Amino acid sequence: ITFESNKLNINTFSDSNSISYWASDAMKWAVNAGMMQGASNKLNPSSNATRAQVAKILQTFDEKAVKNT
């Protein structure tokens, strides 16, 4: 899955300043690749993901990366 830097800026999320430095590139990739969309203008980087959220991330990854190879 390619990273499209012009697609979405994670700084538009109100809690983007809570993203750890070491995770910012991965979060940018995940958002721009459609793996993460946030909710209520937040990414909630310090929260735990629910089982349903992780399932959706894995499903999207499968659809976009695995099936396109």
Side-chain angles (χ1 to χ4, degrees):
I1 299 172
T2 59
F3 173 73
E4 300 174 32
S5 60
N6 62 347
K7 187 175 179 184
L8 181 63
N9 185 342
I10 63 170
N11 294 328
T12 60
F13 292 96
S14 63
D15 59 351
S16 64
N17 60 338
S18 299
I19 299 170
S20 298
Y21 170 77
W22 58 266
S24 66
D25 285 343
M27 289 291 282
K28 288 175 188 175
W29 175 83
V31 168
N32 288 315
M35 301 292 142
M36 301 181 72
Q37 298 173 349
S40 301
N41 195 35
K42 293 184 177 184
L43 287 170
N44 297 315
S46 59
S47 297
N48 295 325
T50 66
R51 186 180 308 171
Q53 290 168 327
V54 172
K56 181 61 179 170
I57 291 169
L58 293 173
Q59 177 187 11
T60 304
F61 182 79
D62 180 56
E63 291 170 354
K64 291 186 175 194
V66 177
K67 292 181 180 174
N68 290 329
T69 58

